[in-house]
Amino acid sequence: MSFSTKKMYLHRTAAAPTVEPALPRRYDADFRPSEEYKESLPDMMEAVDAISGANVPIQQVGVSGFRLPLRFAAEGGEPVMLEAAVTGSVSLEANLKGINMSRIMRTFYEYKDRVFTLDTLAEILEGYRLKVGSLQARVRVNFSYPMLQKSLRSGMEGYQFYKAAFEASIRADGTVRRFVEFDFVYSSACPCSAELSEHARDTRGVYAIPHSQRSRARVKVEVAEGATVTVEDLQRHLLEGLKTETQVMVKREDEQAFAEMNGAYIKFVEDAARLAFEQLDADPRIKDFEVACAHLESLHSHDAVSVICKGVPGGFEADFMDFGSLVC
């Protein structure tokens, strides 16, 4: 049978069924397919008549959790190699069975030796959109970014790791949007609890400790065209606004300093959202943004949350459901 034959049929008759010999169960490690053989391999993605279900467009189809090491640009130093997790998707028109998902991964490997930035991601996005033949495409790269943090008073240093993501999308008209997502973990001392503790001390001579808790702010910013916003930029913005970032290396003098800092910068979850807003809104490189804050309460059995956005028409809408994993 010719290699160009892509369908095989087993013919049997009711009167005299034939018994086919069993195929050998072995793997031929020496087999090397010729170009003719590879051309003969069936491609189910081209089989329009094999579409299951409604023959309608699909908004997003692709891969999630594809991992590879990428070299990320680092401010003021050599690029850092980090494990990255990729989610890539494209739109699929009606009358098409599916996409060749390996093309998404192969496109990334073409850029694996480049220093990875938002602009690199936009290039990758356009590349695999053209290879897959789609109208729209979207890519997200999650990674954990290390930054050296100095202790408050002892002078020790340790690495803080920040959950971050680069994301880009391209529309059918070729419009590209670029985003950076960033998590910042901080301590929040409750203003109400602080005042009640002081009241107990002043009026009744009772020693009381205000409650505070580990808290998290997750920001997602859309970067203006032609501009660059780094992970370091977002860390600086949130550190300047929220002040009380959790610490890595701590001696007694650092712990005391942190207690003093929490007393100086008490905040409700509403305060935290507005403080982050103030910093991001002042950066002209940031076209739009959304901030979600979650205070993982030590007083209550539930969390306190707030979400705020810049308010750009047609932009982010301050929906906490966008940040569902923030308190999980």
Side-chain angles (χ1 to χ4, degrees):
M1 183 176 290
S2 170
F3 281 136
S4 62
T5 302
K6 293 194 174 184
K7 292 183 178 180
M8 300 176 63
Y9 297 91
L10 181 64
H11 297 286
R12 294 186 174 91
T13 62
T18 59
V19 179
E20 296 291 331
L23 292 175
R25 293 181 179 273
R26 64 183 180 84
Y27 172 70
D28 186 355
D30 297 323
F31 175 69
R32 297 293 181 268
S34 66
E35 290 301 319
E36 183 184 8
Y37 183 88
K38 288 188 284 186
E39 183 63 27
S40 75
L41 294 173
D43 186 355
M44 287 300 296
M45 297 303 103
E46 297 178 358
V48 177
D49 59 345
I51 291 176
S52 300
N55 188 6
V56 295
I58 300 176
Q59 285 71 39
Q60 291 187 47
V61 60
V63 299
S64 177
F66 161 56
R67 295 181 181 274
L68 79 165
L70 292 174
R71 296 168 64 233
F72 288 84
E75 192 174 273
E78 292 294 319
V80 292
M81 183 75 79
L82 302 174
E83 179 188 24
V86 178
T87 297
S89 63
V90 297
S91 61
L92 182 67
E93 302 308 299
N95 298 321
L96 295 177
K97 173 69 174 177
I99 67 169
N100 188 327
M101 294 191 183
S102 68
R103 289 177 181 169
I104 297 175
M105 296 176 281
R106 293 203 301 266
T107 301
F108 260 89
Y109 268 93
E110 292 171 9
Y111 289 81
K112 67 180 177 62
D113 296 324
R114 294 266 298 271
V115 177
F116 197 81
T117 66
L118 271 181
D119 291 331
T120 314
L121 188 60
E123 288 183 48
I124 292 174
L125 188 70
E126 177 62 20
Y128 93 67
R129 184 180 76 118
L130 294 175
K131 287 184 179 180
V132 175
S134 176
L135 296 178
Q136 302 179 58
R138 181 178 177 182
V139 180
R140 178 183 172 93
V141 178
N142 291 76
F143 54 96
S144 181
Y145 191 84
M147 291 177 61
L148 201 59
Q149 181 197 67
K150 182 173 287 189
S151 298
L152 295 174
R153 286 177 180 159
S154 69
M156 293 193 303
E157 291 182 327
Y159 279 99
Q160 189 84 276
F161 284 81
Y162 299 91
K163 290 177 61 177
F166 289 165
E167 186 177 320
S169 63
I170 188 167
R171 297 173 178 167
D173 62 3
T175 301
V176 175
R177 301 177 69 189
R178 300 173 302 146
F179 306 91
V180 182
E181 188 173 284
F182 177 76
D183 276 16
F184 184 83
V185 182
Y186 61 100
S187 174
S188 58
C190 174
C192 182
S193 181
E195 288 299 316
L196 291 172
S197 296
E198 289 302 306
H199 181 273
R201 184 190 303 266
D202 293 342
T203 61
R204 295 166 37 236
V206 174
Y207 180 75
I209 299 176
H211 79 83
S212 60
Q213 52 273 319
R214 185 180 298 175
S215 305
R216 179 173 292 143
R218 179 171 295 169
V219 303
K220 187 170 185 178
V221 305
E222 180 174 0
V223 181
E225 186 176 356
T228 298
V229 175
T230 66
V231 172
E232 289 92 345
D233 288 328
L234 295 181
Q235 190 271 348
R236 278 191 292 268
H237 282 325
L238 293 191
L239 182 61
E240 178 62 27
L242 300 175
K243 304 294 187 185
T244 51
E245 182 177 18
T246 56
Q247 301 294 295
V248 180
M249 302 293 285
V250 175
K251 288 186 175 181
R252 285 180 296 173
E253 59 266 38
D254 301 309
E255 186 167 356
Q256 184 181 67
F258 194 64
E260 294 172 17
M261 183 180 289
N262 271 272
Y265 300 109
I266 56 178
K267 46 187 164 288
F268 292 118
V269 72
E270 297 92 338
D271 300 320
R274 288 174 172 143
L275 289 166
F277 182 103
E278 184 177 43
Q279 295 296 316
L280 299 175
D281 192 49
D283 190 335
R285 300 169 300 171
I286 296 176
K287 179 179 179 180
D288 193 9
F289 62 81
E290 184 177 25
V291 181
C293 296
H295 289 188
L296 312 183
E297 291 282 331
S298 61
L299 169 65
H300 302 291
S301 298
H302 54 266
D303 303 318
V305 299
S306 64
V307 186
I308 198 168
C309 65
K310 185 176 177 70
V312 174
F316 292 120
E317 297 182 350
D319 185 352
F320 188 76
M321 297 306 173
D322 294 343
F323 301 92
S325 64
L326 192 62
V327 296
C328 293

